[in-house]
Amino acid sequence: ELIKMRRKNQITQVKLFKEFDKIQEKIVNKSKEAESMGFSSDREFAVYKTLEYTLDDAKGITGQIFQGIEEELSITDWQVKGEVKKSMRKNIKDVLRGKVESNDIQSITVSLVDLIKRN
């Protein structure tokens, strides 16, 4: 969006660089926050941030999820392998059972696998 604005001369180059600095600062702060909380990857932090407002022990549950899918994440090109993603969903569901409403488990699980895939 900023680049489009610059091309249309809607923003000065100085303002563009200041906005880039703000974006970079957000990225650095996000990484520092994730690291200070003990997360070893952006994937883990993204899952935690997704769960933190709906589950009491989001940090612990995030850890359990990643322990459960550790093997699948080590498979090359797991993102395009249906059986691997199916196994991941099963493992995530196992962790979430009893912690979220049973009606919500499927949608949360699909969302989390998609989130992990994107990160």
Side-chain angles (χ1 to χ4, degrees):
E1 189 63 34
L2 291 171
I3 293 170
K4 288 179 187 177
M5 290 174 67
R6 178 64 189 137
R7 285 182 182 151
K8 294 178 183 177
N9 288 323
Q10 295 173 334
I11 187 173
T12 66
Q13 193 167 7
V14 172
K15 178 73 174 163
L16 176 70
F17 286 127
K18 286 181 181 180
E19 293 300 317
F20 283 159
D21 280 343
K22 288 179 187 177
I23 292 169
Q24 184 177 4
E25 184 70 26
K26 285 181 185 178
I27 292 168
V28 168
N29 286 338
K30 178 183 166 190
S31 294
K32 286 181 182 176
E33 181 183 358
E35 187 178 301
S36 72
M37 294 183 73
F39 294 112
S40 60
S41 70
D42 289 340
R43 287 179 175 156
E44 289 179 31
F45 190 64
V47 169
Y48 165 76
K49 290 303 259 182
T50 300
L51 299 176
E52 79 174 322
Y53 297 109
T54 56
L55 298 171
D56 290 334
D57 184 23
K59 186 176 178 184
I61 293 169
T62 299
Q64 291 174 19
I65 287 171
F66 279 88
Q67 283 177 348
I69 63 172
E70 184 176 13
E71 187 176 317
E72 286 84 357
L73 290 175
S74 69
I75 296 171
T76 304
D77 293 332
W78 67 265
Q79 300 90 335
V80 295
K81 296 179 178 176
E83 287 299 314
V84 176
K85 291 189 288 186
K86 182 178 177 180
S87 178
M88 289 175 72
R89 288 191 298 270
K90 180 198 170 298
N91 291 338
I92 292 171
K93 285 178 188 177
D94 289 345
V95 171
L96 294 177
R97 267 193 198 88
K99 296 174 178 78
V100 298
E101 296 289 326
S102 58
N103 297 343
D104 297 334
I105 287 180
Q106 179 66 26
S107 62
I108 292 171
T109 300
V110 169
S111 295
L112 290 178
V113 171
D114 185 50
L115 179 67
I116 293 166
K117 183 178 170 183
R118 289 190 318 250
N119 284 287

